[in-house]
Amino acid sequence: MDGDGRSDDCDAGGEWIWVRRPQEAEAAAAAAGWLAEEARPLKVVFAAPARYFTDAAPIGNGRLGALVWGGVTSEKLQLNHDTLWTGGPATAVAYGLSGDETQSYQPLGDIDLAFGEHIKYTNYKRYLDLESATVNVTYSVGEVLYSREHFSSNPHQVIATKISANKPGAVSCTVSLATPLDHRIRVTDANEIIMEGSCPGEKPAGDDNASDHPQGMKFCAILYLLTSGANGQVQVLNDKMLKLDGADSAVLLLAAATSFEGPFVKPSESTLDPVTSAFTTLNMARSMSYAQLKAYHMDDYQSLFQRVSLQLSRGSNGVLGGSTLAHLPENISQDAEVSDCTVPMVDCSRLNELNNSEKPTVDRIISFRHDEDPSLVELLFQFGRYLLISCSRPGTQVSNLQGIWNNETNAPWGTAPHPNINLQMNYWPSLPCNLSECQDPLFDFIGSLSVNGAKTAKVNYGANGWVSHQVTDLWAKTSPDAGDPSWALWPMGGPWLATHLWEHYSFTMDREFLERTAYPLLEGSASFLLSWLIEGQDGYLETNPSTSPEHYFIAPDGKKASVSYSTTMDMSIIREVFSAVLLSADILGKSSTDVVQRIKAALPRLPPIKIGRDGTIMEWAQDFKDPEPQHRHVSHLFGLYPGHTMTLEQTPDLCKAVANTLYKRGDKGPGWSTSWKMALWAHLHNSKHAYKMILQLITLIDPKHEHEKEGGLYSNLFTAHPPFQIDANFGFPAALCEMLVQSTGSDLYLLPALPRDKWPHGSVKGLRARGGLTVNICWKEGSLHEALVWSGSSGNSPALERIHYGDHAAVISASPGQVYRFNSELKCLETWQL
């Protein structure tokens, strides 16, 4: 694309094809004789252009995101950059109680394409292909078939668009950039539109105009247009737009950058020039052909996405349960010895599910209440994995309340990360869904929180260590917001985030990570908690003041209150952090340190989880009356999931009380609440109720008639609070994993909450489990058929001791790099080196 004779590469020809070794899970399955099943298309399909933000199709590379609206007379790509926020680093006052206001995530702007007015078109289709991370738009005008393809490249950090037609000279449009932020636009004679601007230096209040505030972070977006075809012409309009006429095809590349130099550098003191940064990125990208850019994009994306596959079927002659062979691959003889896991079968229900994959997704959501199509569950599971890959990559910012997709300068809650459930849920699927790299931004962010949080701990509480509260932002805000104590006065955000550090080690067995990254942060969090605990009644150590996020109780005077002492969630999180420090210290040889000795003395003095008069888990230290029994938060059940202090085997009475609590809370609630309840029911091994939460979530939300806190899905599969919050998109795949695999490190549980009557046949490949394990499972007629379990070929020996399925249990001494194949009774059939 740099004028060296390769400009014709924006034509359809010359596509690169990468040949990659099979993913580890697929290779293990093939070695076990599991034949590859026919994959259903993983597409989010739209029958019309978007009318609302939540009808548009998301793409992203972790840093640069877009929502593709797919219009015919005009196209819009709504743009975001992960570091484009209002404000700057916290001031000194922010470390005091109720300091600076949380800042707000801003939209970068739009790419606007105008194709003409009153266009009569037919055969419209728009879809997001999860296998390739591309959005495609096609339609016909007369005999001309038009197509557009969009993707956001992580290797080259650009958004790429290709516009083409099946008739030479048929591509014409006007190209422009726009933004609601303070900006200026110019066009160069090299077919470049350059948009420079800045964010408000303060968060806009109410309907304030962003331009009324002092300048904050600078940004730049550059859009480059490349055409093909002998007769195509480009003109500059008003020094702001490009007009393309009569091209065979066109390629657009969008690069963007900000002056963000880290959470501790003021925008006014940044040495970064976003214009220079954007041009550097763009020049690297346009030195390649479109085909090369797409090939690199596909290779990068699929190396993550294709690690896990999921197949669910309900047919009586399902893909695993039928008896009529459709055909064997040509290289397999009819007499060959193969596993009957995933042998292709004739399956009418599966054919219907394949056909459903091409229907508009909005219709599939509507009909799910009646047909309960398992292929839509597969799609929603993989869509969550797609979104995590698209909004959180090593070196990017943490996924916020809407991932990286936002179209408002004053969005709900500023789209700020909320560490009282929402931020944590964003990263729940990263480990079990085999996307551990996507969690790197979270650990970078926790590191920044620990710096600011040490100041907040000292100023607010006279405490050691570091602390963070209920909401934060790009600048790693750790002080509480001014507001209702029910949500503002909650210093457990940091400790909850710290538990993710130990979880990362328990899944990956990465000792270097534990020593260099996790342990110092865990120790700092534990040091704060040791300072925060005070002597209470009956020899217990208490937290005071203490709240249960966003909830109230009826005080003895009959009035609503939210502040008490030693809430169940406080104590559950503290136990998790203390236990993680002790386990880490044992591994790292730090068990004799002062912090560890103090934790050992404090742990048995924490108040136990208690059961109330009504048989439910008590949310507060006292058995207060609940003014809102069906409140959306289930914070006091943290110990069951994502915590580990309540289990069916070790604390059956508490688990019975958890079930009573969930029944009392009810099934309704925002999307994130539904996903959390789904995971909780899975840990109670209640497959029926876990599945009921799937039914609850897969309900269509009309953006014109949103009802507060009802949950559900929009037409593009974004999950609803409402409004759109991305947390449930991540909570859902995490909860589904818990239905299929659970682990403690020493114990592995297969299909603990499988809804056998709904998905009697199926398979999953590539899920991760604690102890550094990877798991493949296939089942038929509602029961386990075979499982493959292995750990990486390097690193520590896995801690796995037992495998469980139903009433069966098997003792195992696993070795690194060894694959173990189990049958339905957990008999080890064979082993081999990975």
Side-chain angles (χ1 to χ4, degrees):
M1 294 183 188
D2 55 359
D4 62 355
R6 288 182 290 174
S7 62
D8 286 343
D9 284 337
C10 67
D11 290 335
E15 293 291 326
W16 280 28
I17 298 176
W18 290 86
V19 179
R20 188 191 304 112
R21 295 176 60 186
Q23 291 282 355
E24 192 176 81
E26 293 293 341
W34 296 15
L35 299 183
E37 64 267 29
E38 182 181 6
R40 284 187 277 243
L42 291 171
K43 295 179 180 179
V44 184
V45 180
F46 307 86
R51 296 178 61 195
Y52 302 96
F53 174 80
T54 49
D55 296 330
I59 56 175
N61 61 23
R63 176 169 288 110
L64 193 57
L67 280 158
V68 180
W69 289 58
V72 173
T73 59
S74 64
E75 168 68 288
K76 177 166 69 174
L77 273 71
Q78 193 277 310
L79 304 171
N80 288 103
H81 191 285
D82 68 332
T83 63
L84 198 58
W85 284 70
T86 62
T91 61
V93 71
Y95 301 116
L97 194 63
S98 297
D100 285 355
E101 187 177 17
T102 307
Q103 294 302 317
S104 181
Y105 184 50
Q106 299 292 286
L108 175 60
D110 302 325
I111 298 174
D112 291 316
L113 307 176
F115 296 98
E117 298 180 359
H118 311 297
I119 298 175
K120 295 182 179 180
Y121 63 92
T122 57
N123 303 319
Y124 179 92
K125 190 170 185 179
R126 173 169 55 105
Y127 63 88
L128 164 62
D129 186 348
L130 303 187
E131 291 285 358
S132 62
T134 60
V135 171
N136 291 269
V137 181
T138 60
Y139 56 91
S140 297
V141 178
E143 296 181 354
V144 181
L145 174 64
Y146 289 93
S147 64
R148 299 195 292 269
E149 182 177 63
H150 312 270
F151 63 86
S152 186
S153 165
N154 178 263
H156 293 93
Q157 291 295 303
V158 293
I159 289 175
T161 292
K162 182 177 180 180
I163 309 170
S164 55
N166 66 350
K167 179 182 177 181
V171 173
S172 299
C173 63
T174 301
V175 183
S176 60
L177 286 175
T179 179
L181 303 177
D182 185 35
H183 72 284
R184 65 186 183 92
I185 292 175
R186 57 191 170 94
V187 179
T188 73
D189 57 6
N191 292 353
E192 298 161 343
I193 305 176
I194 303 172
M195 181 171 69
E196 299 177 63
S198 62
C199 280
E202 301 171 2
K203 179 181 179 179
D207 296 327
D208 285 0
N209 192 312
S211 62
D212 294 338
H213 297 276
Q215 282 195 351
M217 192 184 306
K218 297 177 181 179
F219 68 88
C220 175
I222 305 173
L223 184 62
Y224 171 65
L225 170 64
L226 174 72
T227 67
S228 73
N231 298 317
Q233 295 184 347
V234 179
Q235 295 177 303
V236 177
L237 299 181
N238 302 323
D239 197 33
K240 291 185 176 181
M241 296 179 285
L242 293 172
K243 187 175 187 299
L244 170 63
D245 283 310
D248 294 345
S249 65
V251 168
L252 297 170
L253 298 181
L254 187 284
T258 74
S259 60
F260 180 70
E261 203 169 349
F264 312 122
V265 179
K266 295 179 180 179
S268 61
E269 298 176 357
S270 172
T271 61
L272 296 180
D273 177 14
V275 178
T276 300
S277 298
F279 264 116
T280 299
T281 298
L282 179 61
N283 289 336
M284 288 289 292
R286 62 185 171 187
S287 69
M288 295 192 163
S289 69
Y290 180 84
Q292 289 172 323
L293 286 174
K294 184 179 177 183
Y296 277 108
H297 157 71
M298 295 269 289
D299 183 64
D300 167 77
Y301 169 76
Q302 291 179 345
S303 69
L304 296 170
F305 184 77
Q306 291 181 350
R307 290 176 182 174
V308 172
S309 67
L310 175 66
Q311 295 275 314
L312 304 174
S313 183
R314 61 189 171 189
S316 59
N317 287 326
V319 70
L320 298 176
S323 58
T324 306
L325 288 177
H327 64 275
L328 287 172
E330 293 180 0
N331 60 339
I332 301 291
S333 74
Q334 295 291 329
D335 297 324
E337 181 177 346
V338 296
S339 166
D340 59 349
C341 265
T342 65
V343 173
M345 301 291 174
V346 173
D347 179 6
C348 293
S349 69
R350 186 154 179 84
L351 291 175
N352 290 334
E353 291 156 10
L354 283 167
N355 292 334
N356 283 347
S357 300
E358 299 296 330
K359 292 180 179 179
T361 302
V362 66
D363 294 340
R364 299 177 66 190
I365 297 171
I366 293 171
S367 64
F368 188 81
R369 187 64 53 183
H370 309 290
D371 62 26
E372 299 183 27
D373 175 15
S375 68
L376 184 57
V377 178
E378 295 173 15
L379 182 66
L380 189 58
F381 171 85
Q382 294 288 19
F383 182 65
R385 297 183 67 246
Y386 164 81
L387 290 177
L388 189 57
I389 297 170
S390 300
C391 76
S392 185
R393 292 289 199 102
T396 71
Q397 298 305 304
V398 74
S399 172
N400 64 48
L401 205 59
Q402 294 181 185
I404 53 172
W405 298 279
N406 167 47
N407 65 337
E408 300 182 42
T409 56
N410 195 13
W413 303 287
T415 75
H418 282 59
N420 67 354
I421 174 58
N422 316 98
L423 176 56
Q424 289 86 346
M425 185 176 285
N426 282 6
Y427 288 94
W428 281 0
S430 60
L431 293 169
C433 287
N434 212 335
L435 297 172
S436 62
E437 300 94 327
C438 294
Q439 208 172 17
D440 283 6
L442 179 64
F443 302 140
D444 294 339
F445 188 64
I446 294 173
S448 298
L449 290 176
S450 73
V451 175
N452 285 341
K455 300 172 185 177
T456 299
K458 182 178 181 180
V459 172
N460 273 28
Y461 307 116
N464 299 320
W466 66 275
V467 65
S468 182
H469 289 77
Q470 156 269 352
V471 65
T472 183
D473 55 24
L474 176 74
W475 310 104
K477 170 185 166 64
T478 55
S479 59
D481 263 3
D484 190 329
S486 70
W487 51 263
L489 191 62
W490 194 71
M492 291 294 137
W496 187 352
L497 287 172
T499 66
H500 283 244
L501 297 157
W502 169 253
E503 285 294 285
H504 185 82
Y505 170 77
S506 69
F507 273 83
T508 64
M509 306 295 284
D510 184 344
R511 194 180 191 280
E512 182 179 357
F513 169 83
L514 182 66
E515 185 169 14
R516 295 189 178 184
T517 302
Y519 189 78
L521 293 169
L522 277 165
E523 187 180 58
S525 180
S527 295
F528 167 76
L529 295 172
L530 288 167
S531 299
W532 181 239
L533 289 165
I534 61 173
E535 292 287 341
Q537 298 178 352
D538 303 321
Y540 287 123
L541 295 175
E542 312 276 9
T543 57
N544 193 348
S546 179
T547 61
S548 192
E550 303 182 25
H551 199 20
Y552 298 85
F553 58 89
I554 301 299
D557 63 1
K559 297 180 180 179
K560 284 175 60 176
S562 61
V563 181
S564 182
Y565 68 95
S566 298
T567 61
T568 298
M569 191 183 211
D570 275 12
M571 291 303 152
S572 297
I573 291 175
I574 292 171
R575 279 192 178 85
E576 292 291 331
V577 174
F578 282 0
S579 297
V581 172
L582 294 183
L583 291 168
S584 301
D586 285 344
I587 295 167
L588 300 175
K590 298 179 180 290
S591 296
S592 60
T593 65
D594 176 66
V595 169
V596 170
Q597 295 306 311
R598 291 174 63 199
I599 288 174
K600 288 181 177 178
L603 197 54
R605 297 183 60 196
L606 298 178
I609 297 174
K610 293 180 285 187
I611 300 174
R613 294 184 298 272
D614 61 356
T616 64
I617 297 292
M618 285 173 51
E619 192 164 357
W620 290 272
Q622 298 182 43
D623 200 2
F624 293 123
K625 184 178 179 181
D626 191 338
E628 189 182 356
Q630 295 187 333
H631 190 266
R632 60 195 177 277
H633 281 264
V634 285
S635 306
H636 47 319
L637 308 186
F638 174 94
L640 180 65
Y641 181 86
H644 307 90
T645 53
M646 292 189 284
T647 68
L648 285 170
E649 293 180 342
Q650 300 296 324
T651 58
D653 291 342
L654 289 179
C655 286
K656 181 179 180 180
V658 168
N660 291 338
T661 305
L662 287 170
Y663 284 122
K664 183 177 180 180
R665 272 293 202 257
D667 297 333
K668 294 182 179 180
W672 58 262
S673 178
T674 302
S675 295
W676 194 355
K677 292 169 185 174
M678 178 179 162
L680 289 165
W681 283 117
H683 273 262
L684 294 175
H685 295 188
N686 189 323
S687 60
K688 182 177 181 180
H689 219 116
Y691 185 81
K692 188 176 180 182
M693 303 317 297
I694 295 175
L695 292 172
Q696 178 77 17
L697 184 64
I698 303 180
T699 304
L700 184 66
I701 296 296
D702 182 352
K704 295 184 297 184
H705 303 97
E706 293 179 339
H707 301 291
E708 188 179 4
K709 302 170 189 173
E710 68 175 349
L713 302 176
Y714 294 101
S715 68
N716 65 356
L717 290 185
F718 274 168
T719 51
H721 185 285
F724 161 51
Q725 281 186 198
I726 204 168
D727 34 35
N729 281 119
F730 300 132
F732 178 81
L736 189 57
C737 286
E738 299 301 320
M739 295 173 70
L740 301 177
V741 176
Q742 294 175 21
S743 61
T744 66
S746 60
D747 290 80
L748 180 67
Y749 298 84
L750 305 179
L751 306 180
L754 175 71
R756 291 165 172 80
D757 58 330
K758 303 296 183 180
W759 311 326
H761 314 287
S763 69
V764 65
K765 301 172 188 171
L767 295 186
R768 298 300 305 275
R770 292 174 181 84
L773 301 174
T774 308
V775 183
N776 288 1
I777 309 172
C778 69
W779 62 94
K780 53 192 294 187
E781 298 179 1
S783 298
L784 173 67
H785 184 67
E786 279 192 8
L788 306 178
V789 179
W790 69 94
S791 66
S793 56
S794 61
N796 300 329
S797 296
L800 180 63
E801 298 175 2
R802 292 169 296 275
I803 297 181
H804 305 261
Y805 169 68
D807 295 331
H808 297 284
V811 177
I812 182 174
S813 179
S815 300
Q818 199 77 4
V819 181
Y820 298 82
R821 180 183 177 190
F822 296 92
N823 67 9
S824 60
E825 297 179 350
L826 297 185
K827 178 182 178 181
C828 185
L829 301 177
E830 60 177 325
T831 67
W832 66 90
Q833 198 68 25
L834 185 65

